[in-house]
Amino acid sequence: MSFDVGDAAVVVRSRLRLTRRGRAVFTVLAAIPIALLAASLVLGGGGAAADGEGARGTSLAYLTVSDGESLWSIAESLAPNGDPRDLIAEIMRLNGLDDSVVQPGQRLALPAQ
Protein backbone atom coordinates (compact mmCIF):
# COMPACT_ATOMS: atom_id res chain seq x y z
CA MET A 1 0.00 0.00 0.00
CA SER A 2 1.40 3.37 -0.94
CA PHE A 3 0.28 6.86 -0.09
CA ASP A 4 0.40 9.69 -2.50
CA VAL A 5 1.28 12.95 -0.79
CA GLY A 6 -0.61 14.97 -3.39
CA ASP A 7 -3.94 13.33 -2.48
CA ALA A 8 -3.60 13.57 1.30
CA ALA A 9 -5.04 16.55 3.15
CA VAL A 10 -2.37 18.78 4.55
CA VAL A 11 -2.93 19.68 8.19
CA VAL A 12 -1.49 22.99 9.23
CA ARG A 13 -1.42 23.85 12.91
CA SER A 14 -1.05 27.41 13.97
CA ARG A 15 -0.99 28.95 17.40
CA LEU A 16 -3.27 31.83 18.17
CA ARG A 17 -1.14 34.82 18.96
CA LEU A 18 -2.61 37.85 20.68
CA THR A 19 -0.92 41.15 20.36
CA ARG A 20 -0.88 43.64 23.22
CA ARG A 21 -3.85 45.41 21.65
CA GLY A 22 -5.71 42.11 21.24
CA ARG A 23 -5.17 41.24 24.90
CA ALA A 24 -6.45 44.69 25.92
CA VAL A 25 -9.59 44.29 23.79
CA PHE A 26 -10.20 40.81 25.15
CA THR A 27 -9.79 42.04 28.74
CA VAL A 28 -12.20 44.93 28.20
CA LEU A 29 -14.79 42.66 26.59
CA ALA A 30 -14.51 40.22 29.48
CA ALA A 31 -14.83 43.01 32.07
CA ILE A 32 -17.98 44.61 30.60
CA PRO A 33 -20.46 42.04 32.05
CA ILE A 34 -18.80 42.29 35.45
CA ALA A 35 -18.99 46.09 35.42
CA LEU A 36 -22.66 46.02 34.35
CA LEU A 37 -23.52 43.60 37.14
CA ALA A 38 -21.73 45.73 39.74
CA ALA A 39 -23.46 48.89 38.48
CA SER A 40 -26.89 47.28 38.60
CA LEU A 41 -26.30 46.09 42.16
CA VAL A 42 -25.13 49.51 43.30
CA LEU A 43 -27.82 51.53 41.54
CA GLY A 44 -30.71 49.14 42.11
CA GLY A 45 -30.17 48.26 45.74
CA GLY A 46 -31.15 49.85 49.00
CA GLY A 47 -33.83 52.40 48.34
CA ALA A 48 -35.09 54.71 51.03
CA ALA A 49 -37.48 53.27 53.56
CA ALA A 50 -39.84 56.14 52.73
CA ASP A 51 -40.48 54.59 49.31
CA GLY A 52 -42.30 51.61 50.73
CA GLU A 53 -43.27 50.23 54.06
CA GLY A 54 -40.95 50.78 56.99
CA ALA A 55 -38.20 48.38 57.93
CA ARG A 56 -39.21 45.41 60.06
CA GLY A 57 -42.87 46.41 60.09
CA THR A 58 -42.38 49.75 61.86
CA SER A 59 -44.96 52.34 61.00
CA LEU A 60 -43.88 55.64 59.55
CA ALA A 61 -45.37 59.09 59.71
CA TYR A 62 -44.99 61.42 56.73
CA LEU A 63 -44.37 65.15 56.58
CA THR A 64 -44.14 67.56 53.68
CA VAL A 65 -41.39 70.12 54.22
CA SER A 66 -42.64 73.72 54.35
CA ASP A 67 -40.74 76.78 53.23
CA GLY A 68 -38.06 77.70 55.79
CA GLU A 69 -38.09 74.31 57.56
CA SER A 70 -34.93 72.33 58.14
CA LEU A 71 -34.26 68.89 59.53
CA TRP A 72 -33.12 70.56 62.74
CA SER A 73 -36.43 72.42 63.20
CA ILE A 74 -38.41 69.28 62.34
CA ALA A 75 -36.42 67.20 64.83
CA GLU A 76 -36.85 69.83 67.55
CA SER A 77 -40.61 69.94 67.03
CA LEU A 78 -40.92 66.13 67.10
CA ALA A 79 -38.74 65.56 70.16
CA PRO A 80 -38.31 68.83 72.09
CA ASN A 81 -36.62 67.12 75.05
CA GLY A 82 -34.32 64.86 73.02
CA ASP A 83 -31.12 65.40 71.10
CA PRO A 84 -32.10 66.59 67.59
CA ARG A 85 -28.96 65.06 66.06
CA ASP A 86 -30.14 61.52 66.79
CA LEU A 87 -33.53 62.14 65.18
CA ILE A 88 -31.92 63.91 62.20
CA ALA A 89 -29.69 60.87 61.63
CA GLU A 90 -32.73 58.57 61.75
CA ILE A 91 -34.71 60.76 59.32
CA MET A 92 -31.74 60.85 56.94
CA ARG A 93 -31.43 57.05 57.11
CA LEU A 94 -35.14 56.48 56.53
CA ASN A 95 -35.23 58.75 53.51
CA GLY A 96 -31.86 57.81 52.01
CA LEU A 97 -30.53 61.37 52.29
CA ASP A 98 -26.83 62.03 51.78
CA ASP A 99 -26.93 65.36 53.61
CA SER A 100 -29.31 67.30 55.83
CA VAL A 101 -30.52 69.70 53.14
CA VAL A 102 -34.26 69.47 52.43
CA GLN A 103 -36.38 71.35 49.92
CA PRO A 104 -39.86 72.84 50.37
CA GLY A 105 -42.45 70.34 49.14
CA GLN A 106 -40.21 67.36 49.82
CA ARG A 107 -42.05 64.47 51.49
CA LEU A 108 -40.16 62.90 54.39
CA ALA A 109 -40.77 59.69 56.26
CA LEU A 110 -40.51 60.15 60.00
CA PRO A 111 -40.19 57.50 62.68
CA ALA A 112 -43.59 57.11 64.34
CA GLN A 113 -43.53 58.10 67.98
Side-chain angles (χ1 to χ4, degrees):
M1 189 173 222
S2 68
F3 291 101
D4 188 9
V5 176
D7 293 336
V10 177
V11 177
V12 177
R13 292 186 183 207
S14 65
R15 281 185 51 177
L16 176 65
R17 292 179 179 243
L18 285 178
T19 61
R20 179 181 294 184
R21 180 175 158 195
R23 284 191 299 272
V25 169
F26 182 74
T27 302
V28 168
L29 289 176
I32 287 174
I34 295 169
L36 290 176
L37 176 65
S40 69
L41 290 175
V42 168
L43 296 176
D51 293 340
E53 194 164 321
R56 296 183 296 271
T58 59
S59 60
L60 298 174
Y62 292 92
L63 170 91
T64 302
V65 178
S66 300
D67 193 31
E69 277 188 314
S70 65
L71 283 182
W72 189 272
S73 64
I74 293 169
E76 282 184 330
S77 67
L78 291 174
N81 297 330
D83 187 1
R85 293 172 291 197
D86 295 334
L87 189 53
I88 289 171
E90 181 66 15
I91 293 170
M92 288 176 62
R93 185 190 66 77
L94 283 174
N95 293 282
L97 301 175
D98 293 329
D99 56 21
S100 61
V101 177
V102 291
Q103 303 299 322
Q106 185 176 358
R107 187 170 183 233
L108 295 176
L110 306 173
Q113 297 184 1

